[in-house]
Amino acid sequence: MQQDEVAARVRQVIDATGVSAREFARRIVIDPSKLSRSLNGTRRFTAAELARIADIGGVDVGRLIGTTAGAAGEVTAGAAATLSNVRSPSPSRSPSPSPEGGRPLQIVRETVRLIAERGFHAVRVADIAAACHTSTAAIHYHFPGRDELLEAAVRWCMDEDTRRRAEATAGTRHAGDELRLLIELQTPHTEQQRRQWCVWLDLWAEAARSTTVGRLHVEYYRQWRGTVADVIRRGVGQGVFRPVDADGAALALTALIDGLASQVLATEPGLPGTGAPAMHDALIAHVDACLTAPVSG
């Protein structure tokens, strides 16, 4: 079947990159489970996914979908139509070399940066194209609509946040130190952290309106609260924290982080008692008062 042949070609591309399927999914900005189902034949690749796979793998899309019109049609008629419409770059703009990490990741990174600066609904596809030094056709080639681009931006932010936490806490054994480090990472001290929080605030609003983004939002917070709860459980076992309901404590702490961060961002920088240091101190005081076990003896 043509679908199996497409999956086999995609596997060859993944193997040639020398990275795991999970890392490849991160690079083409899709859920690893979607990639797995497509490779196993229980889900079809979309046109945009095939475009991103071709970009990252440095191959022609025709190699993935087949060299004949009939073969392309069996992938899905919509995929073939989309790919044929956007395969040629805009004649008004010369194509630029593919950036490090591939064009899809560049598009998503620039989208996130522009969302932080302007808000999602103020960002046009033309703005993203200009930031990437490419054409709007190239943007639509990888992400046909704003909804898909927003979903990719959300997923990239989630992956980056998770990766950053994992790298920062690797090797940390003391649960108290790890929890304080997690709080430090979530406090908007730097300009980069402030930009990241601005994106989160915009995405929260979209999550209330978009089913897809809402599902990603729920999944991200399930993982984030689970990480905090696991640290608290370990701390209870180490005698660092009081015996508490770890899930309830994680829910309260993550909600407090979100609430304080939003207040920091909504306040003019530099005002006394309202910045990131005050937020950090409040969170540490909460941990000390509610979680930290008293020193015996």
Side-chain angles (χ1 to χ4, degrees):
M1 294 178 60
Q2 185 66 25
Q3 187 175 341
D4 294 335
E5 294 174 5
V6 172
R9 296 186 192 107
V10 172
R11 285 195 188 92
Q12 291 175 355
V13 171
I14 296 174
D15 291 343
T17 63
V19 301
S20 66
R22 175 170 288 276
E23 170 60 19
F24 194 84
R26 188 190 71 83
R27 294 185 183 185
I28 62 173
V29 206
I30 68 168
D31 187 335
S33 67
K34 285 186 178 180
L35 177 61
S36 177
R37 293 199 304 273
S38 297
L39 291 174
N40 292 333
T42 59
R43 174 186 178 274
R44 291 183 182 277
F45 286 105
T46 68
E49 289 165 0
L50 290 171
R52 299 200 290 271
I53 290 167
D55 182 277
I56 296 297
V59 301
D60 187 82
V61 175
R63 174 183 166 187
L64 298 178
I65 66 175
T67 58
T68 66
E74 289 182 38
V75 176
T76 65
T82 301
L83 290 169
S84 64
N85 285 339
V86 298
R87 184 175 290 128
S88 300
S90 171
S92 62
R93 193 190 297 252
S94 300
S96 57
S98 185
E100 182 180 356
R103 182 69 70 192
L105 273 180
Q106 183 200 30
I107 291 170
V108 171
R109 290 190 189 106
E110 290 300 326
T111 299
V112 169
R113 181 181 66 81
L114 290 170
I115 290 174
E117 293 177 358
R118 309 179 190 180
F120 179 73
H121 288 289
V123 177
R124 303 172 302 159
V125 173
D127 299 327
I128 300 169
C132 295
H133 305 289
T134 190
S135 65
T136 56
I139 304 298
H140 288 304
Y141 180 51
H142 295 293
F143 303 98
R146 286 172 62 90
D147 287 347
E148 186 172 11
L149 189 52
L150 176 60
E151 179 182 350
V154 174
R155 185 167 296 286
W156 185 81
C157 287
M158 289 169 51
D159 289 346
E160 285 296 293
D161 202 37
T162 302
R163 179 188 61 78
R164 192 163 48 246
R165 288 200 303 265
E167 289 180 353
T169 58
T172 305
R173 296 291 177 262
H174 188 278
D177 291 342
E178 184 169 353
L179 185 59
R180 286 171 173 78
L181 183 54
L182 290 175
I183 290 172
E184 184 73 22
L185 292 171
Q186 294 300 113
T187 305
H189 287 290
T190 67
E191 188 59 33
Q192 173 61 30
Q193 287 172 319
R194 289 183 66 89
R195 282 198 299 269
Q196 183 76 6
W197 270 104
C198 285
V199 174
W200 281 125
L201 291 177
D202 222 51
L203 297 181
W204 286 345
E206 288 303 310
R209 305 181 184 96
S210 166
T211 301
T212 299
V213 176
R215 284 197 297 266
L216 289 173
H217 183 268
V218 169
E219 175 61 18
Y220 171 78
Y221 269 90
R222 184 189 66 79
Q223 294 177 7
W224 168 223
R225 285 193 294 266
T227 296
V228 175
D230 287 344
V231 173
I232 293 173
R233 288 190 190 93
R234 191 162 65 254
V236 171
Q238 292 175 352
V240 175
F241 299 140
R242 307 172 191 270
V244 295
D245 173 11
D247 292 324
L251 177 61
L253 182 57
T254 54
L256 184 59
I257 289 172
D258 289 345
L260 286 173
S262 64
Q263 291 183 43
V264 170
L265 295 172
T267 305
E268 182 181 348
L271 291 180
T274 60
M279 168 185 165
H280 182 266
D281 291 346
L283 291 169
I284 296 302
H286 175 78
V287 170
D288 289 340
C290 301
L291 294 178
T292 304
V295 178
S296 58

